[in-house]
Amino acid sequence: MADVKLLGFWSSPFVHRVIWVLKFKSISYEYIEVDKKNKSQLLLQSNPVYKKVPVLIHGGKAIAESGVILEYIEETWPENPLLPKDNHERALARFWIKFGEDSIVSITELFLRPSKDEQERARAMKKAQETLTIMEEEGLGNKKFFGGNNIGLVDIVYGCLGHWLEGLEEIVGMKLIEASKFPRLHAWIQNFKQVPVIKENLPDYGKLLLHLERRRQEYII
């Protein structure tokens, strides 16, 4: 049996963050799909506080929350590093990771949980555009990836701005990250999705669209 296990759900971008990092570092692991409607005892015992995925189990010890898991993997398996070696650059990477964690969920919820109030919806859209402008101008700049020429942990955390947000944009019929408005972020998404580890480990797009549409309808109803 594998010394490393990952409890996950096929559509979760947070689970895919962990999968990508495990793949980048060539870590062998056993993937265990979780039934979200009938949570297993293993999940409940491994993450008794939040009772959700992802959960990494290493040597029988459980680690929950994707951000914590990514840091744990980086520290436990330092080969093929995804954070810079320089202390200041590593601190900056952690800053942008925190910025992404704080803002990306609100951007996706703009599509998942549409407000019925026109003014509130306009304010939310304005806020999302301001956040993306900060990501593009201050975080990404003129670099290919957030860390430079190669993918790092910041890119991994921001990964759902591609496949998942693109799906929501298609469902709603509203484009947020347009090439004309956010050319560098738009190019970053295309570059990110073409990296073999990412490209080979994305959920089926058609299946994901159906899942996202069901989730959106649940919020609307």
Side-chain angles (χ1 to χ4, degrees), residues 113-131:
R113 305 186 186 198
S115 172
K116 295 179 181 179
D117 181 89
E118 197 69 40
Q119 289 185 333
E120 184 180 336
R121 188 160 60 246
R123 284 194 297 269
M125 176 60 77
K126 185 174 183 290
K127 176 64 176 175
Q129 291 173 335
E130 289 171 350
T131 299

Side-chain angles (χ1 to χ4, degrees), residues 91-117:
L92 286 178
R94 288 194 169 108
F95 170 86
W96 287 110
I97 287 170
K98 180 67 166 59
F99 184 84
E101 295 282 13
D102 290 344
S103 57
I104 289 174
V105 170
S106 63
I107 291 173
T108 55
E109 286 193 348
L110 176 64
F111 293 83
L112 272 177
R113 305 186 186 198
S115 172
K116 295 179 181 179
D117 181 89

Side-chain angles (χ1 to χ4, degrees), residues 53-67:
V53 294
V55 175
L56 188 79
I57 302 175
H58 179 215
K61 298 178 180 179
I63 305 100
E65 291 296 291
S66 65

Side-chain angles (χ1 to χ4, degrees), residues 102-203:
D102 290 344
S103 57
I104 289 174
V105 170
S106 63
I107 291 173
T108 55
E109 286 193 348
L110 176 64
F111 293 83
L112 272 177
R113 305 186 186 198
S115 172
K116 295 179 181 179
D117 181 89
E118 197 69 40
Q119 289 185 333
E120 184 180 336
R121 188 160 60 246
R123 284 194 297 269
M125 176 60 77
K126 185 174 183 290
K127 176 64 176 175
Q129 291 173 335
E130 289 171 350
T131 299
L132 291 172
T133 298
I134 293 171
M135 288 179 183
E136 177 166 279
E137 295 181 358
E138 304 297 333
L140 184 59
N142 293 315
K143 302 185 295 292
K144 182 177 181 180
F145 297 107
F146 281 87
N149 292 323
N150 299 307
I151 277 187
L153 220 52
V154 179
D155 302 279
I156 298 289
V157 169
Y158 285 51
C160 68
L161 289 176
H163 207 58
W164 286 262
L165 183 58
E166 286 174 334
L168 289 169
E169 289 174 331
E170 182 173 336
I171 289 168
V172 176
M174 178 178 68
K175 191 71 175 171
L176 183 58
I177 304 181
E178 294 183 276
S180 59
K181 292 182 179 178
F182 300 102
R184 285 171 285 180
L185 268 180
H186 186 271
W188 168 80
I189 289 171
Q190 309 316 311
N191 291 328
F192 181 79
K193 290 174 65 178
Q194 288 306 309
V195 174
V197 167
I198 306 301
K199 187 175 182 179
E200 295 163 10
N201 294 280
L202 288 170

